[in-house]
Amino acid sequence: MILDAWFWTGTVIGVLSLLICLVAAVVRRYPADSAILSAAAVELFLIVYGVAGAIRQFSGDTLNGPGWEFWGYVITALLIPPLAVAWAITDKTRWANVVLAVAGPTVVVMLHRMQVIWYGQW
Amino acid sequence: MSTELQTPPRRNQGLGRIIVMVYAVFALSALARSLFQILSHFDRAPVAYVLSAFAAVVYIIATLSLARTGRTAWLVSLAAVLIELVGVVGVGLATVLHPELFADATVWSHFGAGYGYVPLVLPIVGLAWLLTHREPKES
């Protein structure tokens, strides 16, 4: 099941992060703490998801697709929120919040791909 | 404050930063994807995978040059964005007219439909940004 609790949890966090960042872009003229924290929440989810994935794989759960494609996606996704934060906090304008807004939806799209690699197409 | 208002925003600030961020995401994902394709099953679709790798290189160059200030970086950005535009339109047309040439999808297949058409919109936005934020000639 691709659209399992993992997927929905990640999607809710990613979409909430997007909304928080967009609101922050409207009401704050600098990178808001809430926007940075929401990107951190996305990263935290990815870490938990990755650890859970490793545990599942080591306990014998088999992936439908190639394992290293799955881990390639996990590692690439893990890079995105820190990249967004680093790029956002060096620019003290409201647009920094929109930079942070990119991380959430990007990770959701990649999470869907990871789920497809793990479970196969539906 | 008044001097701040008089200097135009730099090319890598404000909206420009969002453009760089989106380019960075594409550079990262195109690179990861093409590395995986080339290393794991290059024989399946050599043309598509070489194009994927080329697209990745163009995105990386565009990301780095858009993030930098200065006239050279501006020119490199312009070249990268133009190559990207030609690439997405050319590969987009080729995949529609001659789908048999592509055994697997690339970032630019069907004008980037697989990526929500962002690959088609991105070079247009990038071009508009570059043309409205030209670097003055160095004195």
Side-chain angles (χ1 to χ4, degrees), chain B residues 1-8:
Chain B
M1 192 66 195
S2 60
T3 47
E4 245 178 80
L5 287 173
Q6 276 159 9
T7 33

Side-chain angles (χ1 to χ4, degrees), chain A residues 68-69, chain B residues 30-45 48-53 104-107 115:
Chain A
W68 63 305
E69 188 182 16
Chain B
L31 177 73
R33 190 173 185 226
S34 70
L35 272 181
F36 168 73
Q37 289 173 329
I38 288 171
L39 294 176
S40 71
H41 45 258
F42 183 67
D43 311 336
R44 206 189 291 168
Y49 298 158
V50 167
L51 264 172
S52 281
D104 202 349
T106 74
V107 195
Y115 291 82

Side-chain angles (χ1 to χ4, degrees), chain B residues 9-127:
Chain B
R10 288 161 68 151
R11 192 158 49 78
N12 63 355
Q13 283 180 326
L15 265 172
R17 275 191 109 75
I18 302 159
I19 297 173
V20 172
M21 184 62 209
V22 178
Y23 265 99
V25 166
F26 268 84
L28 204 60
S29 47
L31 177 73
R33 190 173 185 226
S34 70
L35 272 181
F36 168 73
Q37 289 173 329
I38 288 171
L39 294 176
S40 71
H41 45 258
F42 183 67
D43 311 336
R44 206 189 291 168
V47 179
Y49 298 158
V50 167
L51 264 172
S52 281
F54 175 73
V57 171
V58 173
Y59 282 123
I60 292 165
I61 294 172
T63 306
L64 297 177
S65 59
L66 281 165
R68 291 174 64 93
T69 55
R71 195 163 166 78
T72 314
W74 187 88
L75 287 169
V76 173
S77 305
L78 185 69
V81 168
L82 285 175
I83 292 169
E84 188 197 340
L85 187 60
V86 171
V88 70
V89 172
V91 174
L93 276 177
T95 46
V96 171
L97 301 174
H98 295 283
E100 72 280 0
L101 286 176
F102 299 89
D104 202 349
T106 74
V107 195
W108 291 337
S109 293
H110 299 277
F111 305 102
Y115 291 82
Y117 293 102
V118 175
L120 181 62
V121 178
L122 202 53
I124 297 168
V125 173
L127 197 58

